[in-house]
Amino acid sequence: MNFKKVNDGLLDFLNHSPNAFFAVKNMKHILCDAGFQELHEGESWKLEENADYFVTRNDSALIAFRIPKKNFKGFQMMASHCDSPVFKIKANAEITIDDQYVKLNVEKYGGMLCAPWLDRPLSVAGRVMVVTKNGVETRLVNIERDLLIIPNLAIHMNREVNDGYKFNAQVDMLPLFSEKSDEKNAFLKLIAKEAGCDADDILDTDLFLYNRMQGTYVGENQEFICSGRLDDLQCAYSSIQALVQAKPKDSVAVACVFDNEEVGSGTKQGAASTFLKDTLHRINASFGHTEEEYLKSLTSSFLVSADNAHSVHPNHPDKADPTNRPYMNKGIVIKYSANQKYTTDAVSGALFRTICKKAEVPYQTFTNRSDMLGGSTLGNISQAQVALNTVDIGLPQLAMHSPYETAGTKDTAYLIEAAKVLFSSSIESIGDGNYKISF
């Protein structure tokens, strides 16, 4: 495996994907370069066998799929998400302080570590809705320069900060934008200039802060990568790369990248939505398959829910489970939870282990300590719409939900290889709990 080539591509993707809108835009470029055809939900689909397609929803979620033949056996799928914990800029964002400073009003999106956002260059990216003579138009904007900073309070004014401090999002986490000037709505005008319109033409916005620090390699032998948004763009990027490299034969290969996982997935573009179900039904209907045939195909389908996992922390090894202790660069992590925060069971775990062995990539297992609550992911949420065998996996990382995270340089390539096997395979149900696997 060419680990350097894979990581260079990943870091370039991360550096140009400050939020979900840009991540989807960049994934579309990868797919178009590979010959995939873009579909639109509001138009009729005329799908063909031995063809490749993708569709987006809300410009922040994407499903790409490859159809090898008309009478396919099922769907081999990988799902991830493209949003990360971040600060969203509120409407009427400017706040003037003492007639000297202008800061921006923001609110938390998802559960982030607040402290790492302080004292580092930030900027703004997202989408604006612009009025046109025919209606409204979406335009993506990215202020590609160091624009903002959230300054810490000096230790002389908060001497107990190192003994533990509870950050107040409305007080501590507002970014400094500028000195006070006579210009009104300076921030909105800056956004309008980037969007190529007048400020009065902007009807609404979805704008977010992002960390300006570029991704890089660290470690004595550059064995780690550091970047913002590794959770979960590392898995999303891997799934798209694997899809374009795979060779599906008997099953439809599907890569799903949802939005809004960090806030519960309950949106039209989240894992709890009908996006995946709608897409699978339309694929099924395009080839004249009946509803019963669709339901039968789900029994011969498999979903890999790919969302990053916690590596054992070098400073806090006691926070990990005594016997399930994943490490960076040691392989893909299969995640288990007795309370079904993760969907993995003996069936789906066995199927994925078989895929990893075929791909000749290492894998590990993760469970939370029995006395600690863990997070959840999108696998169990998507089951409410499309019920099928699902395994929860991820790539091991440190500092999850920080604006700058750390992962291993080998694990992205491992996931790409495993996903290529998944997308190229068929898993055929031969009775409940028994499966024939063809690679």
Side-chain angles (χ1 to χ4, degrees), residues 66 89 104 120 129 172 241 250 283 285 307 315 327 378 381 383-384 398 425:
R66 304 184 65 182
I89 297 174
L104 300 183
R120 66 172 69 227
M129 303 306 299
D172 298 303
Q241 288 293 332
D250 295 314
I283 295 171
D307 193 0
N315 296 336
Y327 296 92
L378 48 83
I381 295 172
Q383 294 290 291
L398 300 172
S425 68

Side-chain angles (χ1 to χ4, degrees), residues 402-436:
S402 171
Y404 208 67
E405 302 166 324
T406 300
T409 53
K410 295 181 179 180
D411 296 316
T412 305
Y414 291 151
L415 182 55
I416 292 173
E417 291 302 311
K420 283 165 59 178
V421 171
L422 167 73
F423 291 141
S424 302
S425 68
S426 290
I427 300 174
E428 186 176 358
S429 173
I430 51 175
D432 198 14
N434 299 293
Y435 300 88
K436 176 183 176 182

Side-chain angles (χ1 to χ4, degrees), residues 85-315:
V86 72
F87 290 95
K88 188 174 191 289
I89 297 174
K90 295 182 181 179
N92 306 310
E94 294 187 22
I95 300 175
T96 301
I97 301 297
D98 290 346
D99 206 34
Q100 296 295 321
Y101 303 126
V102 177
K103 60 183 182 180
L104 300 183
N105 197 9
V106 300
E107 59 183 321
K108 294 166 69 176
Y109 171 92
M112 76 279 287
L113 291 167
C114 287
W117 283 89
L118 301 170
D119 300 332
R120 66 172 69 227
L122 308 172
S123 196
V124 176
R127 69 176 174 186
V128 298
M129 303 306 299
V130 177
V131 64
T132 68
K133 63 180 181 180
N134 297 318
V136 294
E137 178 181 283
T138 298
R139 298 184 188 178
L140 297 188
V141 296
N142 181 10
I143 309 299
E144 296 190 68
R145 65 179 176 89
D146 300 339
L147 179 68
L148 306 162
I149 196 164
I150 305 174
N152 244 311
L153 184 62
I155 195 168
H156 312 83
M157 301 175 182
N158 187 10
R159 292 191 178 275
E160 291 76 39
V161 64
N162 292 328
D163 299 322
Y165 183 75
K166 185 176 181 179
F167 290 95
N168 184 312
Q170 191 63 65
V171 176
D172 298 303
M173 306 310 298
L174 303 189
L176 177 64
F177 171 57
S178 70
E179 290 184 325
K180 176 70 170 62
S181 70
D182 294 332
E183 185 175 13
K184 294 183 178 180
N185 298 318
F187 175 71
L188 190 61
K189 290 177 181 178
L190 178 65
I191 297 299
K193 181 179 179 181
E194 183 68 22
C197 66
D198 294 329
D200 291 341
D201 293 334
I202 294 179
L203 298 173
D204 214 335
T205 66
D206 286 314
L207 299 172
F208 302 88
L209 303 187
Y210 72 93
N211 172 24
R212 286 279 296 162
M213 187 176 293
Q214 298 283 287
T216 191
Y217 295 87
V218 302
E220 180 186 4
N221 299 303
Q222 295 193 327
E223 60 263 57
F224 308 116
I225 53 173
C226 297
S227 176
R229 303 170 296 283
L230 284 170
D231 173 27
D232 187 36
L233 291 184
Q234 189 179 14
C235 289
Y237 177 81
S238 299
S239 70
I240 297 299
Q241 288 293 332
L243 185 68
V244 301
Q245 297 175 38
K247 296 179 180 179
K249 295 179 285 294
D250 295 314
S251 295
V252 179
V254 184
C256 321
V257 184
F258 296 111
D259 193 8
N260 304 128
E261 189 275 341
E262 300 294 357
V263 291
S265 297
T267 61
K268 66 182 183 298
Q269 59 273 0
S273 74
T274 62
F275 190 23
L276 177 58
K277 182 175 72 173
D278 293 344
T279 302
L280 298 186
H281 269 96
R282 293 182 77 163
I283 295 171
N284 190 64
S286 291
F287 295 99
H289 297 183
T290 65
E291 180 67 11
E292 184 179 52
E293 287 175 314
Y294 167 72
L295 295 174
K296 286 171 59 180
S297 73
L298 292 185
T299 69
S300 295
S301 300
F302 188 48
L303 174 63
V304 176
S305 168
D307 193 0
N308 269 7
H310 299 290
S311 176
V312 173
H313 196 288
N315 296 336

Side-chain angles (χ1 to χ4, degrees), residues 79-81 230-232 235 261-262 304-310 333 335 342 376-378 392-395 397 400-401:
S80 56
H81 67 90
L230 284 170
D231 173 27
D232 187 36
C235 289
E261 189 275 341
E262 300 294 357
V304 176
S305 168
D307 193 0
N308 269 7
H310 299 290
V333 179
K335 301 190 282 188
Y342 305 125
S376 60
T377 184
L378 48 83
D392 268 299
I393 63 102
L395 299 180
Q397 70 162 91
M400 186 177 290
H401 288 197

